[in-house]
């Protein structure tokens, strides 16, 4: 039951969201190697798994309705991403999410296309009722999930700051965190707000780069009870690695290979020393 | 209706197919960032999206039958590729194509396996009746689509020049362009013929490299009313980038990363200066 | 009929499993360019095709039930991998395997998740009855296939030497070879045992790296009648290339690009000179 998970969360001290807490979360991710079940889109599957592996987590793409619920009770975290939906993959998600909630497994919702595409907008609304630990999307998707606009395909047509009130409202409803990606990433749990301005423009020129960050947030949610800390640690690590990669690459192709290298090489002390909060 | 699209096309001046026209099309692609809906195979999905992003276009992999027709009316171009077909993905294509035709959205058909594999050969024939703006395939696929041979898996067993008469005949039937890939790419709209001899052998050692070129042709078809110019501009840009990448890479793995970099870096004036028509 | 295939195998001399035999198999793979039909998971599809292309084989991802059996009679080898199963992809496998057996086409089974996930464990058991030419898996999967444990997601929780008795028993039942991956790869045809200790830890940090090796084993099984030699030649080439890549890369992202380059560049004489048997 979600209640168990909430109760546990209340009993544990909430970390301050400073550089040390982010670095400590990153350290725990690398040490514990959480098993992350990914129900994600066809475009981002391989990159998401590779990001998890580079970070030290263990991905498992178990998404058939025949196994998804069973496995959600064994995984350390679950990622649900609504890109490239099929009837069967949506049934898999409909099995995995209650399985995660029942087991107290944290889960991340990435509502690709919410607001802009009717079918999956309805699915995203239904999933909201299961109170995702973290919601991750671009500004248009977060606005769409809150009942507003919706973007143009996978790209946002809104700025992240414009989605912050909706993000706070959604976080209030779910009891989790909401992360709005953009030039400056805006993250909130309804009360606290974290702004992170790292990253590189080539992140928007690599397909599935945002989806893979959602997978990394799921991995971090397995090693801290604070959803905002999980979302912020994943964002900080990913966007700091992207800064390094952007500075040493020639274009988006060499950038994505380098991003995996730099995530792999990112030590907790580098994260603590470089992140600007 | 297709009629609208045809009418618009007739009213606009036809560009001469010289280096400046190709460069101008490439420039417009980068400026306008067309939204390209891709209904494509599992193998080529990520590379196709990354090629579009590197070129400056905006990919959207919307292929569920529940959303494909709706979205084809909003996209700037549609790519239909018959690789790795499923029942559901073929239903998505059956929705998207009439949606594109009704909205006057240009669309590209990549008839992977046509002629060699019975199920999809039939589907390819049906799609021909919807008059694709551009058909892109290897020689065996174009011959197969015209009622002839058919290749061995994804590879062509015929030379592109042998498929030129069939390509001209198909272009006459559709009113669009047909692009036959090979060591020398052969492109025609039934009347004009363009030969482009750029590229690199490693393009045949990277899975989905041809499929991704089809996606780039779709993007170009959104920024010119001349299907042959769209196909030629995409081919020129892609194969010129491949030449650069081939000269600076160690093998097919570093080549594909470099190909995305070099597409991203390819300025219209480089294209104009280097292309041999 | 399987009988044909077995009969042919008996009539041909069995190569000794020395360095020259491995190099000779690698040479034949590069010369003959076998057509390998892959029915594999969504995560590993592109990498598997790229590994086959880098090695000089010709991949064809024909997995729809409508074409899988037809094509298994035309391909030179078939790869069956149980990752990311869908109802339709499992039907495709159920068509392809009897098609391969009837035509005497060698086929490889990669029983991803066997033992750990109930649905596909049952499917893997059924497929065993069709006597795969090669079974490839990590220790947990091979133990699971033999009726024992089962791992945690895609990762093994057992060491390869612990799975060797089960591997020998399975090879005895199928008449083929079984390859257990690990720090030291353990391969057997029930009688002979081959140990190969090449490779690099980053192979475990790249998604689908094991699955792609299964595809390469299928390619090798098309050019020798000795299943153990096919499995060993593929393993040697792949892990030797990985050693080179590991020594020249910065992390798992640059490693996988380099792995494709180094496979492409690996000459038979390098393989013969470097492999330790």
């Amino acid at each position: 039951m979600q209640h168990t998970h909430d109760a546990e969360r209340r009993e544990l001290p909430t970390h301050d969201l400073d550089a040390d807490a982010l670095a400590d979360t990153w350290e725990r991710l690398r040490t514990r190697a959480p098993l992350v079940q990914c129900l994600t889109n066809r475009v981002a599957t391989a990159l998401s798994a590779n990001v998890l592996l580079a970070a030290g987590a263990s991905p498992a793409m178990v998404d058939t309705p025949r196994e998804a619920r069973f496995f959600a009770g064994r995984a350390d975290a679950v990622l649900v991403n609504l890109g490239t939906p099929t009837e069967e993959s949506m049934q898999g998600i409909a099995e995995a999410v209650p399985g995660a909630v029942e087991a107290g497994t944290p889960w991340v919702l990435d509502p690709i296309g919410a607001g802009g595409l009717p079918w999956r907008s309805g699915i995203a609304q239904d999933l909201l009722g299961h109170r995702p630990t973290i919601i991750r999307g671009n500004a248009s998707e977060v606005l769409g999930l809150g009942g507003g606009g919706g973007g143009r395909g996978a790209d946002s047509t809104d700025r992240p700051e414009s989605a912050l009130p909706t993000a706070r409202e959604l976080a209030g409803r779910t009891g989790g965190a909401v992360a709005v990606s953009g030039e400056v990433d805006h993250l909130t749990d309804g009360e606290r707000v974290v702004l992170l301005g790292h990253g590189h423009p080539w992140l928007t020129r690599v397909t599935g780069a945002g989806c893979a960050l959602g997978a990394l947030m799921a991995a971090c949610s397995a090693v801290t009870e604070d959803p905002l800390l999980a979302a912020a640690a994943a964002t900080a690590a990913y966007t700091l690695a992207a800064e390094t990669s952007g500075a040493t690459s020639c274009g988006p192709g060499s950038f994505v290979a380098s991003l995996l290298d730099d995530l792999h090489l990112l030590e907790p002390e580098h994260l603590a020393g470089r992140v600007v909060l």
Side-chain angles (χ1 to χ4, degrees), chain A:
Chain A
M1 307 296 135
Q2 182 70 31
H3 304 288
T4 321
H5 194 202
D6 286 348
E8 283 171 10
R9 194 179 294 158
R10 272 194 299 272
E11 283 160 25
L12 284 162
T14 300
H15 297 270
D16 280 335
L17 275 169
D18 58 17
D20 286 342
L22 299 180
D24 183 54
T25 305
W26 188 242
E27 172 77 47
R28 281 202 304 276
L29 168 62
R30 291 157 61 107
T31 312
R32 297 196 195 168
L35 179 62
V36 183
Q37 180 183 10
C38 298
L39 301 99
T40 190
N41 67 74
R42 203 169 64 239
V43 194
T45 311
L47 181 62
S48 299
N50 280 330
V51 160
L52 288 172
L53 288 165
S58 177
M61 276 39 201
V62 180
D63 59 2
T64 161
R66 292 186 186 254
E67 298 170 343
R69 187 165 195 149
F70 167 83
F71 201 76
R74 312 207 157 196
D76 297 313
V78 176
L79 168 71
V80 168
N81 176 303
L82 300 184
T84 64
T86 67
E87 301 295 326
E88 193 169 350
S89 73
M90 291 301 104
Q91 288 167 22
I93 286 172
E95 292 289 332
V97 169
V101 170
E102 277 167 27
T105 309
W107 71 284
V108 172
L109 173 62
D110 196 332
I112 302 283
L117 290 159
W119 183 42
R120 63 185 93 175
S121 296
I123 293 171
Q125 286 303 324
D126 290 346
L127 291 172
L128 257 190
H130 292 282
R131 302 173 62 200
T133 312
I134 300 172
I135 296 167
R136 192 215 77 82
N138 64 37
S140 296
E141 288 158 353
V142 170
L143 287 167
L145 196 60
R152 194 187 81 131
D155 294 336
S156 184
T157 50
D158 299 281
R159 295 184 60 79
E161 52 271 32
S162 70
L164 189 57
T166 303
R168 295 184 84 138
E169 188 268 324
L170 288 167
R173 277 159 66 185
T174 59
V178 178
V180 189
S181 59
E183 207 171 323
V184 174
D185 296 300
H186 285 57
L187 299 86
T188 182
D189 61 0
E191 300 187 0
R192 295 172 294 173
V193 173
V194 179
L195 304 184
L196 286 164
H198 299 286
H200 192 277
W202 285 337
L203 278 176
T204 67
R205 298 283 108 197
V206 173
T207 197
C211 304
L213 173 54
L216 198 57
M217 288 182 185
C220 287
S221 75
V223 300
T224 171
E225 294 289 331
D226 182 343
L228 184 60
L229 176 57
T235 303
Y238 197 67
T239 55
L240 286 169
E243 275 183 5
T244 306
S245 307
T248 56
S249 302
C250 303
S254 49
F255 171 75
V256 66
S258 178
L259 179 61
L260 295 169
D261 290 355
D262 291 322
L263 259 181
H264 178 74
L265 296 168
L266 183 73
E267 297 293 338
E269 57 267 31
H270 301 150
L271 191 157
R274 287 174 53 201
V275 69
V276 178
L277 282 164

